[in-house]
Amino acid sequence: MLLSKVLGVIVIARNGDRSSYYQDPYSYAGSSTETTALGEAESFQLGSLLRSTYLDSSSPSFINGIRSDLVDNNEVKARVKTGVEGSVVFDSSIALLQGLFPPNKNNKIQLANDTTVVAPLGGYQYVPGTWCASCFVASMRFDGDLVETVEPGNDRSLESWTDCPVSEDIARAFARHTREFYGSQEFKDKAKDAQSFFKAAKDFVFGRPTTLENAIFDFMNTQLVHNKTYAHRLPPTLIEQARHFANFHEDGVFSDKHINGVGNIAGRTLLHTIITSLERIAFNGDPLQFLLVQTTYQPFISFFHQTGIADEHPEYKGIPNFSSAIVIELRRGNPPDLRDFLRIKFKNGTFDHFRDVHVFGHHSDIPLTEFIYRAENAAITSNKQWREVCTSSESFVPLSLPGNTNVQAAFTGAFAFISLLALFMLAKFVKRSRARAREARLRLPGDEVSEVVNYGAISREREEWCAGDTTATAIAQSDRPYVAAAAAQYYPEHQRWFV
């Protein structure tokens, strides 16, 4: 289907190249890492490609009505993950935006004395930014600044897999899902197949654990790119084998057979960002036309499984390359069908080009309304819901489809009515029994029998949170602010890292 008018675009981009990075295979707590010049160049190249595709008026995919010379903070927004790999992700977003909006001589100002001042570096566009602590809670309302960094201690929309469960005492949800995967027969068979590889790679990982839980691809790949001596000595096919086993490992951890399974938690929080932003772009009264979500590789894996892309393209299972990107185009159909459709594209790294991928069994563009219908019940929309999912004893919760809403409401109402009726009948029975018991008692002559009914108010204890404040209301334990785990939880004494 040819759709002529692009209303807006959502770009989900992975960070560029970085130094070696380690993650705990169970908690996914990460070590420190830094951006490289190669990574910045990769992200800048991606930004330049996006500019030529969507901000060039001669392009068939030009976003209708967007300003392309100077950035308009109302039309363009960016959300940047700042948890593990946070500095690398942020640097990648700045480099991408430099490619998207390069220096322009029109970036100038005229002073009161008629002097014209052009921004440094030939009109460099400084993209303003802010720390966004509650975008998840505020239903993705991006106001004011263009770049909003998302801190997982306050907003779980871009890093939902760490600290899930929220306590080491709760071995449920995502942590249990990971352990179940490691204990599965499929994982054991793959670990057996990998023994010869890990034996051959032992001399090239310098003491790092050589097990399938601790996949070593990241270290080997970083050394291969940046260490000439290592690159000259690494035997052929070892890096390909390392990549294969790392893809198997990560694909198993960050996927689930159910769209709303906990294994897809990285994609479930991403879906909320996608759906809410698409609704904003589709609304004529909202100026948003371009959203950049700069993140790491985990949401890519989940999104591909949730939407069925991984079934159509098995080669996309696993870790996407640095500076990979998913683009979701919102397009308006040609007459007579003027509905809004989605066209989704994927580019796997710097040396690939954008390819169309289709979701939910479609072989062409999907109507916006159908995409929302299929995806919205799997989306995690708040920190509170994220916490409930992470502390749940169930790995999968059946979806409540919109079509079943009336039936569920009727059933709930009938159940409530029957329960109230039963309580009413029980109360009458108890009252009648007590009356008969009183009549059966032996009463002495002259006794006065009086019945006193107590209508006094029930006393309620209050927990004072502010010293000296007698008006403070109690705050339930579940409503108290979430406190992030101590740094010691991220770096245990006996580390079990994987790359």
Side-chain angles (χ1 to χ4, degrees), residues 433-455:
S433 299
R434 288 178 177 176
R436 290 176 179 175
R438 284 195 298 270
E439 293 175 359
R441 289 182 190 146
L442 177 63
R443 300 177 181 175
L444 297 177
D447 281 347
E448 292 183 0
V449 179
S450 62
E451 210 170 293
V452 179
V453 181
N454 181 11
Y455 292 102

Side-chain angles (χ1 to χ4, degrees), residues 59-79:
S59 170
S61 298
F62 176 70
I63 299 176
N64 183 64
I66 195 170
R67 183 173 184 179
S68 59
D69 57 345
L70 299 178
V71 60
D72 185 333
N73 290 357
N74 294 315
E75 296 177 344
V76 180
K77 297 293 180 182
R79 306 196 76 225

Side-chain angles (χ1 to χ4, degrees), residues 462-474:
R462 297 188 306 173
E463 183 177 359
E464 305 297 342
W465 280 78
C466 301
D469 184 0
T470 59
T471 63
T473 56

Side-chain angles (χ1 to χ4, degrees), residues 24-274:
D24 184 279
Y26 292 93
S27 67
Y28 272 79
S31 67
S32 60
T33 184
E34 295 180 354
T35 310
T36 65
L38 172 61
E40 294 172 350
E42 290 172 338
S43 296
F44 180 86
Q45 182 178 342
L46 175 58
S48 299
L49 177 60
L50 293 171
R51 177 174 179 80
S52 64
T53 305
Y54 298 108
L55 300 182
D56 186 345
S57 58
S58 64
S59 170
S61 298
F62 176 70
I63 299 176
N64 183 64
I66 195 170
R67 183 173 184 179
S68 59
D69 57 345
L70 299 178
V71 60
D72 185 333
N73 290 357
N74 294 315
E75 296 177 344
V76 180
K77 297 293 180 182
R79 306 196 76 225
V80 182
K81 173 180 173 295
T82 61
V84 293
E85 297 184 79
S87 61
V88 173
V89 178
F90 181 81
D91 293 344
S92 297
S93 69
I94 298 302
L96 190 154
L97 289 170
Q98 288 175 347
L100 190 66
F101 287 97
N104 191 302
K105 293 183 178 180
N106 290 327
N107 187 15
K108 58 187 178 181
I109 187 173
Q110 187 171 9
L111 305 181
N113 60 2
D114 293 331
T115 301
T116 299
V117 179
V118 179
L121 303 176
Y124 183 88
Q125 301 194 54
Y126 294 87
V127 179
T130 186
W131 174 62
C132 183
S134 58
C135 292
F136 203 8
V137 182
S139 298
M140 313 303 298
R141 297 302 299 184
F142 316 116
D143 297 321
D145 295 315
L146 190 154
V147 178
E148 293 168 320
T149 55
V150 182
E151 168 60 46
N154 299 282
D155 183 341
R156 281 290 172 177
S157 58
L158 295 186
E159 188 179 305
S160 51
W161 55 93
T162 58
D163 293 320
C164 180
V166 296
S167 169
E168 292 183 355
D169 298 330
I170 308 175
R172 299 179 181 175
F174 187 75
R176 185 185 61 191
H177 160 80
T178 303
R179 287 182 170 84
E180 288 177 351
F181 173 61
Y182 292 160
S184 67
Q185 189 60 45
E186 180 186 17
F187 189 88
K188 293 177 181 178
D189 292 341
K190 183 65 72 171
K192 186 176 181 180
D193 294 340
Q195 287 179 356
S196 59
F197 158 73
F198 284 117
K199 184 178 180 180
K202 189 173 183 179
D203 293 336
F204 297 92
V205 296
F206 310 120
R208 287 167 176 78
T210 51
T211 63
L212 188 57
E213 290 87 349
N214 296 276
I216 54 179
F217 166 74
D218 195 287
F219 172 79
M220 295 178 66
N221 186 64
T222 301
Q223 295 299 314
L224 183 64
V225 173
H226 297 283
N227 188 330
K228 181 183 290 187
T229 302
Y230 189 94
H232 288 175
R233 294 182 179 180
L234 186 68
T237 75
L238 277 190
I239 191 64
E240 288 81 8
Q241 293 181 67
R243 175 95 193 197
H244 167 75
F245 291 117
N247 283 340
F248 169 81
H249 184 284
E250 296 304 284
D251 188 72
V253 170
F254 290 100
S255 67
D256 202 290
K257 60 182 178 180
H258 301 289
I259 187 175
N260 67 334
V262 72
N264 285 327
I265 194 167
R268 293 183 63 186
T269 49
L270 177 67
L271 282 177
H272 175 62
T273 301
I274 293 173

Side-chain angles (χ1 to χ4, degrees), residues 287-313:
L288 180 64
Q289 291 187 279
F290 188 101
L291 172 66
L292 168 65
V293 179
Q294 191 78 53
T295 184
T296 48
Y297 68 87
Q298 293 87 349
F300 285 76
I301 299 174
S302 297
F303 182 77
F304 287 159
H305 280 273
Q306 288 177 298
T307 57
I309 294 175
D311 297 331
E312 296 291 332
H313 299 276

Side-chain angles (χ1 to χ4, degrees), residues 258 260-262 268 377 389 392 394-400:
H258 301 289
N260 67 334
V262 72
R268 293 183 63 186
N377 287 286
V389 170
S392 173
E394 300 292 333
S395 298
F396 161 67
V397 179
L399 291 178
S400 175

